[in-house]
Amino acid sequence: MNDLLIQQLQQLRMTGIADMLKQQRAQPNTYCELAFEERLSLLVDHEMNQRRTNRINRLRKQARLRLNATPEELSYDNGRGLQKPRMADLLNGGYLSHHQNIIVTGATGGGKTYVACA
């Protein structure tokens, strides 16, 4: 019965829930005091997080970005002209919902590609 449930979850493409259920079974003392809805909430949260992560990874792969840059690695030195509040606003992605474009300009070697990939 236990393996059947895991198989059914995997057939339904709910691998996040299946993985979290395996984890809960491996550590019964950690989860036994939680109510049914709390445990179910943990399972669903894990599934949602895994799907979000998979979506982001898929979209990044499809974008074929030249560099594997992350926002945390951006340098805000005075010479670069990057402003943390403006970059935070751009990294938030509000321009996407407003159907706006971004143009990154600057001197050669200034890190435009890196900023765009981040």
Side-chain angles (χ1 to χ4, degrees), residues 42-109:
L42 288 174
L43 294 171
V44 173
D45 285 345
H46 187 75
E47 178 72 27
M48 296 287 289
N49 289 335
Q50 185 172 344
R51 287 183 183 209
R52 187 176 308 116
T53 301
N54 291 343
R55 180 175 183 262
I56 290 170
N57 291 338
R58 179 180 44 81
L59 292 173
R60 290 186 79 177
K61 186 177 179 181
Q62 287 176 346
R64 296 183 190 159
L65 300 174
R66 294 196 300 182
L67 301 172
N68 191 16
T70 61
E72 295 82 21
E73 295 172 343
L74 287 175
S75 173
Y76 294 97
D77 295 339
N78 290 336
R80 298 197 68 197
L82 294 178
Q83 301 167 354
K84 276 191 178 187
R86 175 162 287 185
M87 286 303 298
D89 189 37
L90 291 173
L91 292 169
N92 198 18
Y95 64 95
L96 295 171
S97 60
H98 294 97
H99 305 285
Q100 296 173 330
N101 296 319
I102 297 175
I103 298 174
V104 182
T105 62
T108 303

Side-chain angles (χ1 to χ4, degrees), residues 6-18 47 50-51 54:
I6 298 295
Q7 289 174 357
Q8 288 173 333
L9 288 168
Q10 289 172 342
Q11 286 176 351
L12 291 170
R13 294 191 173 123
M14 295 181 168
T15 56
I17 291 178
E47 178 72 27
Q50 185 172 344
R51 287 183 183 209
N54 291 343

